[in-house]
């Protein structure tokens, strides 16, 4: 990854499916002087989501790619990524599973945020499962994406204490605040290998 750091900032793509709070935090970090990336492209698999509205307000190039046919959708995305010389892909609430073939092409250059302390609670509905199991802690993880769901090498994690009064909704809210702080730290860590 160090090799990617040139004189200029690294062109990065953020993949989203919804609200886009992590996109926003990545963007806000990217415009800082210390950041080695800039958000060149936002890809969403859904129309009219918060993340796309945000990209538009910041004039970031954005594309909606509907995953009706996964293979076709991924081919379209690969073309756009190539055209834009994208060197780092940040999955930020992107709710589609990329194929092994896609991941291979961008091997080591795709990172994802997941709202649990991986390897615990991979997949969906993490907060509900964490609450149901009466865990004392949960948190969030940024990891490299490999061919297995939520299983790539962990870059950074943040632990969050669960209170007796917490439910899935309050926990999600608390963890999201930490996610938004963690993603920029993860990018920094990946690029500076600190
Ligand atoms: C975040 O909580 C993120 O961790 C989660 O979706 C939310 C997106 O929020 N991602 C996953 O569950 C991926 N498996 P955002 O759109 O506000 O960034």
């Amino acid at each position: 990854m160090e090799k990617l750091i040139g004189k200029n900032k690294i062109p990065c793509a953020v993949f989203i499916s919804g609200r886009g709070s992590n996109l926003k935090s990545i963007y806000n970090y990217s415009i800082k002087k210390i950041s080695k990336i800039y958000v060149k492209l936002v890809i969403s698999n859904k129309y009219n989501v918060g993340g796309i509205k945000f990209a538009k307000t910041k004039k970031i190039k954005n594309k909606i790619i509907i995953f009706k046919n996964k293979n076709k959708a991924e081919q379209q995305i690969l073309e756009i990524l190539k055209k834009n010389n994208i060197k780092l892909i940040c999955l930020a609430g992107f709710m589609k599973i990329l194929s092994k073939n896609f991941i291979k092409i961008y091997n080591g250059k795709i990172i994802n945020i997941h709202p649990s302390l991986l390897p615990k609670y991979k997949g969906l509905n993490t907060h509900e499962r964490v609450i149901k199991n009466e865990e004392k802690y949960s948190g969030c993880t940024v990891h490299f994406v490999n061919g297995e769901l939520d299983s790539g090498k962990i870059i950074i994690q943040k632990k969050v204490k669960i209170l007796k009064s917490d439910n899935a909704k309050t926990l999600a809210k608390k963890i999201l605040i930490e996610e938004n702080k963690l993603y920029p730290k993860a990018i920094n860590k990946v690029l500076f290998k600190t």
Side-chain angles (χ1 to χ4, degrees):
M1 200 59 81
E2 291 144 307
K3 274 185 269 162
L4 301 176
I5 303 172
K7 256 188 173 175
N8 303 312
K9 292 195 177 193
I10 295 166
C12 149
V14 183
F15 288 20
I16 58 154
S17 299
R19 174 180 53 193
S21 73
N22 282 297
L23 162 66
K24 198 170 167 186
S25 87
I26 294 168
Y27 173 81
N28 286 338
Y29 156 77
S30 76
I31 57 175
K32 287 184 184 164
K33 216 173 168 190
I34 57 138
S35 153
K36 289 287 176 199
I37 61 147
Y38 74 102
V39 181
K40 187 168 185 187
L41 179 68
V42 172
I43 301 262
S44 170
N45 67 309
K46 287 199 174 156
Y47 289 104
N48 295 326
V49 289
I52 285 296
K53 286 178 193 151
F54 176 77
K56 283 181 179 161
T57 63
K58 297 296 175 191
K59 298 194 167 50
I60 307 167
K61 198 183 284 185
N62 56 87
K63 295 270 181 208
I64 318 283
I65 307 285
I66 302 299
F67 274 60
K68 214 171 163 186
N69 175 321
K70 186 168 172 162
N71 193 30
K72 261 192 192 164
E74 288 191 346
Q75 284 312 317
Q76 261 177 286
I77 295 177
L78 285 169
E79 259 177 49
I80 303 167
L81 295 177
K82 205 172 162 194
K83 220 187 240 171
N84 286 282
N85 195 29
I86 296 300
K87 296 281 190 271
L88 177 71
I89 299 171
C90 299
L91 307 184
F94 183 64
M95 304 311 271
K96 290 284 170 192
I97 297 172
L98 294 166
S99 70
K100 286 196 165 81
N101 182 48
F102 186 102
I103 293 163
K104 219 161 119 190
I105 295 170
Y106 278 88
N107 189 25
K109 292 173 189 163
I110 312 177
I111 63 176
N112 177 46
I113 190 152
H114 184 77
S116 80
L117 288 175
L118 290 174
K120 289 178 102 178
Y121 301 99
K122 297 173 183 175
L124 296 174
N125 307 317
T126 50
H127 307 303
E128 286 79 359
R129 288 185 283 140
V130 161
I131 293 288
K132 201 173 166 212
N133 286 347
E134 299 180 351
E135 297 279 4
K136 290 196 166 51
Y137 292 93
S138 187
C140 45
T141 306
V142 181
H143 64 95
F144 285 104
V145 173
N146 66 7
E148 304 302 322
L149 183 69
D150 300 328
S151 299
K153 191 172 172 236
I154 292 171
I155 299 161
I156 192 167
Q157 289 186 307
K158 175 73 187 181
K159 211 168 167 182
V160 170
K161 195 169 166 36
I162 304 173
L163 304 177
K164 284 242 156 55
S165 55
D166 272 323
N167 55 42
K169 215 171 157 188
T170 59
L171 184 60
K173 212 169 159 185
K174 274 204 270 191
I175 290 179
L176 191 68
I177 293 169
E178 297 305 329
E179 288 186 42
N180 295 162
K181 292 188 224 160
L182 197 66
Y183 220 141
K185 283 187 189 159
I187 295 171
N188 230 19
K189 198 169 171 191
V190 163
L191 296 176
F192 289 103
K193 292 219 182 259
T194 54

